[in-house]
């Protein structure tokens, strides 16, 4: 198979971790007889330095012409980098928002699973972790509170601010279908998270999710209020398979879920539209504090590449091979600094990439 991949290395540790993911993708392509054609695309600070803006129309077109996008991370130190002296719409993050919108990436997937080898890094007690957990947060990414109408006004000398949380049934239906499709490939359970005891948007969410559920009789659906879900994630994370939720709830819950896995450097993510196209990136940021030192953990980016094989190319065997290679390297005791524990062998970013690529 020929796969066209647009590559946004980005800023900070971005180029270092993307280099290792490409190494592993090339090893997969060689073993399974695929050819991957990469196109480099500038975004974020790297694009500001060259073009004065965080994302050009040509960069968007290059991404649209690809089958999938592999991204490192963008942005710099928000207190010291000159990129943050620019108006908000010219800062690095504006590029990512524009790209998500241009590519209609409405579904964000963030798996959070605990490797037995990294149990010590998990802040939860053993009796809570039990046999571990393996959950997927499916977050709506282009609607809700972050995209609704907002304004700040002064009324009778008092400042007031409004944000609006709007969803229409089509936006809910398309993300719900995605959630059930993913659950079908996993343990066949969807927990739909809302605040239906208070919000109208949540009551519509629940109604539409129930309609969609009828098309997936083999998947179990349960509803959970968002405040309860926040508690259950630290009380019994093993109960969850797919958590399906709207934009802001997903933003908060996915950070909570990433925390209980122990390291941000281990967590991949995918943002999908209604075709096979997707953007794959680690959940963490550009980590300017450790950039250029060859010490960042590349595993989240490598696992994001695995998600690309699975969701954009439908190559499950290749995705499994990457995930197995990561597991094997951890079992053998190799660790980057962020996940290092006693008795393990510390390796650099590039050594970790080599070790995983060798085990494909
Ligand atoms: P961050 O995730 O970059 O860093 C938080 C902490 O985690 C730091 O101590 C960092 O060293 C560590 N860390 C992150 N990734 C790591 C890895 N792969 N290996 C080892 N350690 C890792 O968050 P931040 O410091 O709040 O943000 C830094 C910049 O990243 C900001 O400009 C922010 O806007 C940007 N950011 C970008 C994205 C994205 O590109 N999607 C996401 C989040 C933050």
């Amino acid at each position: 198979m020929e796969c066209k991949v647009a590559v946004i290395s980005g800023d900070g540790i971005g180029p270092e971790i993307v280099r290792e993911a490409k190494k592993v993708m090339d090893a997969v392509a060689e073993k399974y007889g695929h050819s991957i054609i990469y196109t480099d695309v500038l975004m974020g600070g790297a694009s500001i330095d060259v073009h004065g803006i965080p994302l050009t129309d040509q960069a968007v077109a290059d991404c649209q012409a690809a089958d999938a996008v592999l991204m490192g991370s963008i942005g710099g130190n928000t207190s010291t980098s000159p990129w943050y002296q620019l108006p908000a719409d010219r800062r690095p993050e504006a590029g990512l928002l524009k790209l998500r919108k241009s590519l209609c990436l409405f579904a964000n997937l963030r798996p959070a699973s605990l490797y037995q080898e990294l149990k010590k890094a998990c802040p939860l007690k053993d009796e809570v972790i039990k046999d571990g957990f393996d959950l997927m947060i499916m977050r709506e990414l282009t609607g809700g509170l972050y995209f609704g109408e907002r304004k700040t006004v002064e009324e009778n000398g008092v400042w007031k601010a409004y944000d609006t949380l709007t969803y229409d049934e089509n936006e809910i239906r398309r993300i719900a279908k995605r959630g059930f499709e993913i659950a079908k490939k996993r343990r066949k359970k969807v927990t739909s998270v809302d605040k239906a005891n208070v919000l109208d948007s949540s009551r519509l969410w629940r109604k539409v999710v129930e309609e969609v559920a009828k098309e997936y009789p083999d998947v179990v659906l349960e509803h959970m209020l968002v405040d309860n879900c926040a508690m259950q994630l630290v009380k019994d994370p093993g109960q969850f398979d797919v958590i399906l939720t709207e934009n802001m709830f997903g933003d908060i819950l996915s950070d909570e879920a990433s925390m209980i896995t122990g390291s941000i450097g281990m967590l991949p993510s995918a943002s999908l539209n209604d075709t096979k196209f997707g953007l794959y990136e680690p959940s963490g940021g550009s980590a300017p504090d450790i950039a250029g030192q060859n010490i960042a953990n590349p595993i989240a980016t490598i696992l994001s590449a695995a998600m690309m094989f699975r969701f954009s190319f439908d190559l499950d065997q290749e995705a499994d091979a990457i995930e197995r290679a990561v597991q094997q390297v951890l079992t053998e005791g190799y660790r980057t600094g962020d996940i290092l524990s006693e008795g393990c062998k510390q390796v650099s970013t590039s050594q970790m990439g080599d070790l995983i690529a060798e085990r494909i």
Side-chain angles (χ1 to χ4, degrees):
M1 177 172 177
E2 186 181 280
C3 313
K4 283 186 266 167
V5 178
V7 179
I8 300 173
S9 294
D11 309 314
I13 59 169
E16 299 166 60
I17 52 181
V18 163
R19 194 176 306 127
E20 302 316 310
K22 283 172 70 181
K23 209 181 259 177
V24 174
M25 290 170 72
D26 289 339
V28 167
E30 196 183 327
K31 174 160 180 188
Y32 293 92
H34 306 298
S35 101
I36 305 178
I37 300 160
Y38 300 103
T39 307
D40 286 322
V41 175
L42 289 180
M43 189 170 86
S47 172
I48 295 172
D49 290 347
V50 176
H51 301 293
I53 51 171
L55 186 72
T56 62
D57 291 342
Q58 183 58 49
V60 174
D62 287 345
C63 291
Q64 280 165 335
D67 301 315
V69 180
L70 176 70
M71 188 180 132
S73 45
I74 50 131
N77 183 315
T78 48
S79 318
T80 57
S81 165
W83 298 328
Y84 295 91
Q85 306 303 318
L86 297 167
D89 62 344
R90 304 249 309 272
R91 290 180 193 169
E93 287 71 14
L96 184 54
L97 292 180
K98 179 179 169 187
L99 189 67
R100 281 180 183 158
K101 202 86 192 159
S102 310
L103 301 175
C104 301
L105 301 172
F106 65 85
N108 180 242
L109 267 80
R110 270 218 221 174
S113 56
L114 184 70
Y115 289 87
Q116 287 303 317
E117 292 82 356
L118 302 183
K119 235 174 157 176
K120 280 195 198 133
C122 174
L124 303 179
K125 289 182 188 154
D126 278 354
E127 57 263 39
V128 174
I129 300 172
K130 292 182 220 152
D131 297 332
F133 52 87
D134 172 16
L135 60 96
M136 176 79 84
I137 299 206
M138 170 68 103
R139 164 189 170 195
E140 203 290 327
L141 204 58
T142 55
L145 201 59
Y146 298 173
F147 289 89
E149 203 180 305
R150 64 175 58 105
K151 63 180 174 187
T152 304
V153 291
E154 196 181 356
E155 280 174 15
N156 304 324
V158 178
W159 285 101
K160 257 188 176 180
Y162 301 83
D163 296 281
T164 43
L165 200 178
T166 317
Y167 272 108
D168 70 35
E169 59 177 304
N170 297 327
E171 289 173 309
I172 302 169
R173 193 166 290 112
R174 65 180 182 179
I175 184 85
K177 278 177 183 275
R178 274 286 171 146
F180 280 90
E181 291 292 339
I182 300 286
K184 258 174 76 171
K185 282 193 165 198
R186 294 172 48 94
R187 298 193 308 280
K188 301 187 174 49
K189 180 178 172 191
V190 168
T191 305
S192 174
V193 174
D194 60 37
K195 189 71 183 166
N197 53 343
V198 180
L199 301 176
D200 264 27
S201 55
S202 282
R203 282 190 279 273
L204 181 63
W205 179 278
R206 201 174 269 217
K207 180 171 171 283
V208 175
V209 169
E210 278 175 3
E211 281 168 21
V212 171
K214 291 187 188 131
E215 297 164 35
Y216 300 88
D218 52 337
V219 178
V220 174
L221 168 67
E222 67 172 12
H223 299 286
M224 193 176 279
L225 295 176
V226 62
D227 37 356
N228 185 24
C229 184
M231 287 194 289
Q232 294 299 327
L233 271 172
V234 289
K235 197 169 158 235
D236 180 16
Q239 70 183 285
F240 295 110
D241 180 15
V242 173
I243 292 179
L244 170 67
T245 193
E246 61 93 54
N247 202 344
M248 183 179 62
F249 298 160
D251 190 7
I252 297 166
L253 294 175
S254 59
D255 267 23
E256 185 187 1
S258 71
M259 190 57 223
I260 58 173
T261 66
S263 170
I264 191 85
M266 296 293 300
L267 294 171
S269 86
S271 302
L272 310 173
N273 64 19
D274 52 11
T275 69
K276 287 280 166 198
F277 184 91
L279 180 143
Y280 300 84
E281 57 173 326
S283 295
S286 60
D289 52 331
I290 57 167
Q293 299 174 40
N294 197 23
I295 58 171
N297 187 346
I299 293 180
T301 319
I302 291 168
L303 291 173
S304 303
M307 292 181 86
M308 180 188 294
F309 280 101
R310 194 180 304 287
F311 296 119
S312 281
F313 307 149
D314 270 331
L315 296 173
D316 285 353
Q317 202 186 358
E318 288 76 348
D320 290 345
I322 298 177
E323 288 163 1
R324 260 200 321 271
V326 168
Q327 175 73 59
Q328 196 181 334
V329 164
L330 294 175
T331 306
E332 290 169 25
Y334 295 105
R335 305 279 190 275
T336 43
D338 57 312
I339 51 171
L340 188 65
S341 58
E342 224 182 290
C344 294
K345 293 160 260 192
Q346 185 165 3
V347 294
S348 65
T349 310
S350 51
Q351 285 169 328
M352 183 57 96
D354 288 340
L355 288 163
I356 296 169
E358 280 161 18
R359 279 152 188 76
I360 290 295

